[in-house]
Every structure is written in C-alpha cells, then in structure tokens.
Amino acid sequence: MLDNDYKIPSHVAIILDGNGRWATKRGLKRSMGHKEGFETLKNISNYIFSKGVKILSVFAFSTENFKRDKEEVDYLMNLFIKNFKKLINKKNDAKIVFSGRRDNLSKEILDAIEETEEKTKNNKSHIFNICFNYGGRADIIDATKKIVDDCQKGKLDINNLTEDVYTQYLYNGIPDIDLLIRTSGEVRISNFMLYQAAYAEMYFPSTLFPDFSNDDFDLALDVYNKRNRRFGGINYEKKNN
Ligand code: IPE
Ligand code: IPE
Ligand code: MG
C-alpha cells in the first residue's frame, strides 16, 4: 500500500515483549533474549525514524519488573548501563529522553541515563522516549503532585488545567500515542502510558520482540492505515493521524 494518502503515525509506542520466551524456546537463558532484544531495538528504532515517525516511545523496564529474580534484574541493568549509549545515532538526529522514576536506580544506571540525555539534548528531528522504571499510574500520580505543587505556589490556576496542560506535566510532556504495538501476542498494556494511550490504535503481533523486523513494522503501518480513527465522532472516512 503506497499512495499519497499513506499515513505515517506521528507517535509510535512499542511494548517490547517476548525476550524471555525467545530465549527459552532456543534452550538459552532469558538474559540472552534481552541481549538479542537490545540489538533489535537499535535496528528498529533507526528504521522507524527513517520512515518519518517523529516520536518513538518504548517500554524497556517497568516498575513491576523489579519483582523478577535478582539475577535477571542485574543482567538487565548491566545491559542498559553498557548499551544506552549505542542508541545514540548521529544520522537520525533523535533526542533521547527517559521517562520513569529515578529513585530505586543505581548510580551507574543514573549516570548512563544522564550521559545519554546530555549527548542528545540538542537533537531536533525526533524524540526517542525510553520508558525505564516506568509505570503509567506512577506517571499520572507524579504529574498530579507537580500540578498541586504549582497550584500552591501560584504558578498554575486550577481553572486552567486542561487535558493538554495535564499532558505537559507527564514525564517529558510526551503527547498522545497514534500507534501502540505490543509484540509477543499478549493483549494487554501492562500499565504503559495509560494517559497517552487514550485514543491509540493498538496492534498486537505474535512476533517475539527479538524477531521484530523492519518488514514487521511495515506491516504494522499497513494495519494502521486500514483503521478508521473517529475520536468519538461520526467521520466514517478513512482519516488517520
Ligand atoms: C520484555 O520481555 C522485556 C522486559 C520486560 C524487560 P520479557 O522479559 O517480558 O519476555 P517474556 O514476556 O518473559 O517472554
Ligand atoms: C511489560 O512487559 C513491561 C515491559 C515490556 C518492559 P511484562 O512482560 O513485564 O508484562 P506482563 O507481566 O506480561 O504483564
Ligand atoms: Mg513479558
């Protein structure tokens, strides 16, 4: 499907799921799935930006993922410490930001996060939003606390609190999602970007994340283009984005 009406979603979000199953299926340790998943993330993010997507959000580690065995959590943290920098890519001009709570994280991971943000802060073409130690409810609660604080300080009049203003108080002020993809066949959002997903088109391919290819993303775009986004209205014409 390639015509002038072909719509590229402005904000794509991906719940990167299925790393563990990818490894277990091959008789490998779950950590090998995370390693392979990170390689996939490096490749697919460049491809997605090259298609013209402005914002890419990915769910890399949830607040609830701390419930996993220490060995798996430690492996993941080390993987991120060593590899966040590899997501910096001069060609795509993406500003990398991290959304999530910063408490509960080691100094090494905080340093890796801050270094990556600092190195890309002047990039303008795209935003690469990495949700890390992230929970959608925590995002809403933390925004609400900042709003109450600003009201008490007289910086915000509560009567001026609109949905758009609320968005600006969420982590990094990331706006609504147009296309939300969750790999691995699970059909739930597991506390991901609850506020921003209000009118997202959702797509749940069965592909395990390490196997998610450029062709799989093209297929997701084709599915998105067949959807009719009405936002509660009665416009039956195909009109995305
Ligand atoms: C997603 O893969 C990556 C993280 C949660 C960090 P999983 O580790 O959840 O993989 P499955 O769902 O067990 O296969
Ligand atoms: C959601 O996946 C979190 C990330 C992808 C980082 P999970 O694998 O943790 O979610 P559940 O437990 O299947 O809902
Ligand atoms: Mg999972």
Side-chain angles (χ1 to χ4, degrees):
M1 205 204 284
L2 270 179
D3 56 53
N4 290 338
D5 290 336
Y6 200 75
K7 300 288 189 290
I8 299 296
S10 172
H11 182 187
V12 171
I14 310 180
I15 301 175
L16 316 171
D17 199 18
N19 291 350
R21 277 164 282 171
W22 183 92
T24 306
K25 251 177 51 181
R26 287 166 175 73
L28 301 169
K29 291 181 92 175
R30 290 176 56 85
S31 51
M32 290 303 104
H34 296 313
K35 187 165 181 258
E36 193 65 22
F38 206 94
E39 291 305 308
T40 301
L41 179 61
K42 256 188 335 196
N43 297 331
I44 199 75
S45 54
N46 286 329
Y47 185 67
I48 290 174
F49 289 132
S50 79
K51 299 294 276 193
V53 168
K54 292 286 175 217
I55 305 173
L56 172 64
S57 294
V58 295
F59 203 5
F61 193 88
S62 73
T63 42
E64 294 81 13
N65 288 148
F66 275 113
K67 289 181 193 161
R68 297 185 181 194
D69 288 353
K70 186 177 179 312
E71 190 191 342
E72 183 168 348
V73 172
D74 286 350
Y75 182 89
L76 274 164
M77 291 297 155
N78 278 318
L79 182 76
F80 294 132
I81 289 166
K82 294 199 186 105
N83 290 288
F84 275 149
K85 270 183 275 179
K86 294 193 184 149
L87 297 174
I88 301 173
N89 182 312
K90 295 217 160 47
K91 269 187 267 169
N92 66 30
D93 193 39
K95 175 175 169 175
I96 301 180
V97 296
F98 290 82
S99 292
R101 286 194 173 151
R102 301 270 167 121
D103 52 4
N104 226 355
L105 299 176
S106 69
K107 180 168 177 341
E108 287 83 2
I109 197 91
L110 287 173
D111 287 349
I113 286 175
E114 278 159 24
E115 189 185 341
T116 309
E117 284 188 329
E118 179 63 26
K119 283 214 165 106
T120 60
K121 69 177 184 200
N122 295 320
N123 291 352
K124 298 265 181 310
S125 304
H126 309 275
I127 294 173
F128 191 174
N129 173 38
I130 300 175
C131 295
F132 189 83
N133 196 18
Y134 178 88
R137 289 179 177 172
D139 197 353
I140 292 168
I141 287 173
D142 290 351
T144 308
K145 287 180 178 167
K146 283 185 257 167
I147 288 167
V148 170
D149 196 41
D150 275 1
C151 286
Q152 283 170 347
K153 286 182 178 140
K155 287 188 193 162
L156 177 71
D157 178 345
I158 196 67
N159 296 312
N160 293 335
L161 181 61
T162 61
E163 292 182 6
D164 286 343
V165 170
Y166 202 101
T167 295
Q168 287 162 27
Y169 280 91
L170 296 167
Y171 301 135
N172 295 300
I174 299 293
D176 283 1
I177 297 166
D178 297 302
L179 171 62
L180 172 58
I181 301 169
R182 179 175 187 149
T183 54
S184 90
E186 306 295 354
V187 186
R188 56 176 171 265
I189 57 175
S190 301
N191 199 17
F192 184 54
M193 300 189 89
L194 301 175
Y195 190 93
Q196 302 89 333
Y199 269 101
E201 290 300 325
M202 299 195 186
Y203 176 56
F204 299 98
S206 56
T207 317
L208 301 173
F209 184 68
D211 290 329
F212 194 73
S213 64
N214 295 353
D215 286 348
D216 289 319
F217 183 69
D218 286 341
L219 194 60
L221 285 180
D222 285 348
V223 169
Y224 177 77
N225 272 270
K226 289 189 187 115
R227 301 277 175 89
N228 182 357
R229 302 186 80 186
R230 291 195 285 277
F231 299 97
I234 47 168
N235 177 10
Y236 288 94
E237 273 171 47
K238 189 157 72 68
K239 192 170 184 299
N240 287 348
N241 207 4

